[in-house]
Amino acid sequence: MASLSRALRVATICSRRDLGPRALTSRAGPTTEKSVPYQRTLKEAQSPTSVAQGPSRPLPSTANVVVIGGGSLGCQTLYHLAKLGVSGAVLLEREKLTSGTTWHTAGLLWQLRPSDVEVELLAHTRRVVSHDLEEETGLHTGWIQNGGLFIASNRQRLDEYKRLMSLGKAYGVESHVLSPAETKALYPLMNVDDLYGTLYVPQDGTMDPAGTCTALSRAAAARGAQVIENCPVSGIRVRTDDFGVRRVAAVETEHGSIQTPCVVNCAGVWAGAVGRMAGVKVPLVAMHHAYVVTERIEGIQNMPNVRDHDASVYLRLQGDALSVGGYETNPIFWEEVSDKFAFGLFDLDWDVFGPHIEGAVHRVPVLEKTGVKSTVCGPESFTPDHKPLMGEAPELRGFYLGCGFNSAGMMLGGGCGRELAHWIVHGRPEKDMYSYDIRRFHPRLTDQRRWIRERSHESYAKNYSVVFPHDEPLAGRNMRTDPLHEELLARGCVFQERQGWERPGWFTPQGTAPIKKECLACRGAAAVFNMSYFGKFYLVGLDARKAADWLFSADVNRPPGSTVYTCMLNHRGGTESDLTVSRLAPSSQASALAPAFEGDGYYLAVGGAVAQHNWAHISTVLQDQKLRCQLIDGSADLGMISIQGPASRAILQEVLDADLSNEAFPFSTHKLVRAAGHLVRAMRLSFVGELGWELHAPRPACVPVYQAVMTAGAKHGLVNAGYRAIDSLSIEKGYRHWHADLRPDDSPLEAGLAFTCKLKSAVPFLGRAALEKQRADGLRRRLLCLTVDEKVPMFGLEAIWRDGQVVGHIRRADFGFAIDKTIAYGYIRDPSGGPVSLDFVRSGEYALERMGVTYPARAHLKSPFDPDNKRVKGIY
């Protein structure tokens, strides 16, 4: 057998002999003659194909749910559907369970990731494979708890691991930061000469794909589910209901059809093909992903699995050998995905894989003289933002996705399978799954194959990169720009990207981001924010008032000209969105600022990064309630310019043809006015806690209106500012950010937004029953504002200590320049399990743990900045 070092030398020689350019894509079909460590699966793979033999059991004529794909996600979803009591659930697998991708996965499970939601999902997977399945079925899943070791060869990486350690304390995940000497004692074969330290998680481990999927299918079958192998799906039958809504009707195969209202696409690399059968876009790409298995290594037994992120390599314990793999910067795309692929593998491209060998040999020198037992190179699916694709497709009701897991389908499978089952049965998952929800992507992005490919490539290459708080993608930029983009670019704007939109991050001709300057200018004079990327929708029609009553937690049925800040909830009382809703007067004439409509009308302004999520949520509710109204998207036709600060009234009084006094233009109202000769909708609102107005202008008017504002503001000290400043200003004032302080598993009561809920009225609204129960039972957690006097940067995920116990973690943190303190928000619980009362909040002594160091913190029941809300009223 060739050693790893010799294999690398041979690969280098071969690449030098290849005088032509190396293709970065593979068009050749996969091979099957490989030696891989999963002998049971190989035995099945080497037998004649069984698809021609027909399904492993007869197809039922109907099913409540049909899961397509028998890999990790398909089996986990079926299992959790069965546990929720779904009868008649069926899984269709075109070959054998685990075929395609799952069978050759490394099966690693690391408990700590820089996401609180993912830590919870991983914990559930671990519980299922290490305990639940064996208890239910008597079958061993192949779970081995040998621990995990993250390697830090630079200071930034060690800081990242310390952040993970602090987060782990909030979830009871044991972890330890080890010195190089302690690491050497734990893993004697490791080279620690260049280490800053390591993070050791004793209860990490590995699972066997075949054993896990077998146990899952056995447990699901015991609860009445069916697994049918050797049954490829050939089509998805769709019907259109009386309201014009497309819905799943049946799944078609060569052996018959199954009538069903619900399909779950867990087809992995082949999910795109299944999606096309139903007219659903699935934004993922297929790439080669590889590892090699070594010969026996003396002394490696019982060692923990290793991730050396800076070398982009992992080392998985494989009995008395190691599996060595990683993520390269130049991955190979699988351009022509074959529907005949089952248990095959690709030839390993040593030229691409070479850097992983170098990293592995450097970290564990004994590998230089260790033989290669086998190579494993198979397909994996990857997505543009390196997050899975889950939830109900916006194009087709009853069609769910559970795919695109970026080589993490085994370790996330348990948690995601459970959430997907809840999504199907209850209409929403239990956890906050927005980052995974397919509805996060705008159709303009999912239509762009080049964008999907470029962003997926970048996400793959950065899989092991340090997660910096303000990192921005480089690939797939300028997909969606607003009318002020070029104007602001010329003024030194540095842009951020959110779901394809380019939005202002900060303004600087050179040097570092001047966040402090922008924030203090807003507090002392005025700042102009381009918020044109916001979603702007119209809800109009005969049933629009019924829709508004049901959709919005606040009472938005006030006279035309009023604007209300409100939430939209799910049936669990969780917050699907926070937004402003402006009441419109009916008109028979359409304009650039409003459509023609009869009945009632509302203008909705929502955060641009989550606009598609809002659109999908509203559309789903309207369909479910069978309401006769229109939802119209005006996002691309309108810009949004916000002028905020003590001087905003004086500036805008020179630009607008309206009286801006408190009496004539109160807070939370809107009206049509002229600005620089253009008709705009002015709203007196603030997202930063200052006197200010938003100008919603037709696209052609945006540049002249903006220029007029800048000219008028020159003598008042007006500055351009971006979203980095908004982040700081808003947290300083205590305003919530959706999907940070406020998520689909957080209620407005827990988040301190009870004032947005019309609970004193008798009007029913979505989520009301859940809120009333929560109020009666007492809040089991509460969002808390904390400030730290010591000037240390915090970004979220820090542990919250109260009286010597961890009671939660930080969701969002930033520096408040007006109060000159670090400000953090996080949800806290009572360790005893009781309600979190205001007395509980007041009585404790708090500290925040950042990278293993605790800092005294002060709790606030009101915003630490302008707690009496004088500034938004113009009182300075």
Side-chain angles (χ1 to χ4, degrees), residues 560-796:
S562 64
T563 298
V564 178
Y565 172 68
T566 183
C567 296
M568 289 192 293
L569 311 181
N570 53 50
H571 77 280
R572 297 178 184 274
T575 310
E576 293 291 335
S577 169
D578 69 331
L579 68 161
T580 58
V581 178
S582 300
R583 186 75 181 273
L584 302 176
S587 173
S588 60
Q589 297 293 322
S591 73
L593 292 167
F597 66 92
E598 296 179 1
D600 294 286
Y602 307 85
Y603 174 62
L604 285 52
V606 303
V610 296
Q612 188 61 26
H613 172 82
N614 279 258
W615 176 273
H617 174 73
I618 296 170
S619 298
T620 298
V621 172
L622 296 181
Q623 292 167 13
D624 290 345
Q625 297 296 310
K626 298 180 171 56
L627 295 169
R628 297 168 299 166
C629 49
Q630 286 182 286
L631 184 63
I632 302 169
D633 190 353
S635 305
D637 302 322
L638 297 172
M640 182 175 165
I641 304 167
S642 182
I643 302 90
Q644 302 288 325
S648 60
R649 178 180 278 134
I651 294 168
L652 288 175
Q653 198 64 79
E654 298 182 29
V655 178
L656 306 181
D657 66 346
D659 182 356
L660 302 183
S661 65
N662 286 336
E663 296 74 21
F665 209 140
F667 181 74
S668 204
T669 62
H670 68 95
K671 60 179 65 176
L672 297 181
V673 300
R674 289 205 171 269
H678 297 270
L679 192 66
V680 304
R681 187 180 304 279
M683 294 186 182
R684 186 173 167 189
L685 295 170
S686 179
F687 195 57
V688 296
E690 297 291 338
L691 173 69
W693 280 262
E694 295 173 359
L695 304 180
H696 297 242
R699 193 175 184 93
C702 288
V703 171
V705 169
Y706 167 80
Q707 292 174 340
V709 169
M710 294 302 293
T711 299
K715 60 179 177 288
H716 295 280
L718 178 69
V719 303
N720 282 300
Y723 272 83
R724 287 285 300 277
I726 288 178
D727 289 342
S728 171
L729 293 164
S730 63
I731 198 172
E732 193 170 53
K733 184 63 185 76
Y735 291 158
R736 311 298 190 245
H737 275 203
W738 193 83
H739 205 238
D741 321 293
L742 199 58
R743 304 194 305 205
D745 54 349
D746 304 322
S747 81
L749 305 186
E750 296 169 331
L753 296 178
F755 70 90
T756 67
C757 302
K758 47 181 180 270
L759 291 172
K760 293 181 180 179
S761 75
V763 178
F765 60 91
L766 182 58
R768 176 171 185 143
L771 295 188
E772 289 176 335
K773 184 178 188 305
Q774 189 177 67
R775 186 172 60 177
D777 295 344
L779 301 179
R780 289 303 192 266
R781 57 180 183 151
R782 192 182 291 269
L783 184 64
L784 183 62
C785 173
L786 297 144
T787 56
V788 177
D789 290 335
E790 192 163 348
K791 292 180 172 59
V792 290
M794 295 187 181
F795 304 103

Side-chain angles (χ1 to χ4, degrees), residues 377-434:
C377 182
E380 292 274 6
S381 58
F382 294 87
T383 62
D385 56 3
H386 213 69
K387 298 292 184 183
L389 307 175
M390 293 180 62
E392 190 175 30
E395 305 100 319
L396 180 61
R397 299 300 305 274
F399 190 91
Y400 289 81
L401 298 179
C403 54
F405 274 78
N406 303 280
S407 196
M410 282 300 297
M411 64 174 149
L412 288 173
C416 288
R418 180 186 62 180
E419 296 306 312
L420 195 49
H422 278 277
W423 223 321
I424 293 163
V425 174
H426 300 301
R428 287 302 304 160
E430 287 192 317
K431 306 295 183 187
D432 164 39
M433 300 298 287
Y434 166 72

Side-chain angles (χ1 to χ4, degrees), residues 11 60 80 132 171 181 203 214 245 293 371 415 431 452 465 497 501 568 605 622 670 682 688 693 699 761 768 850 864:
H80 284 91
D132 294 356
Y171 285 99
Q203 295 183 18
T214 297
V245 178
V293 182
K431 306 295 183 187
I452 295 170
S465 297
E497 187 270 352
W501 278 109
M568 289 192 293
L622 296 181
H670 68 95
V688 296
W693 280 262
R699 193 175 184 93
S761 75
R768 176 171 185 143
R850 170 190 179 271

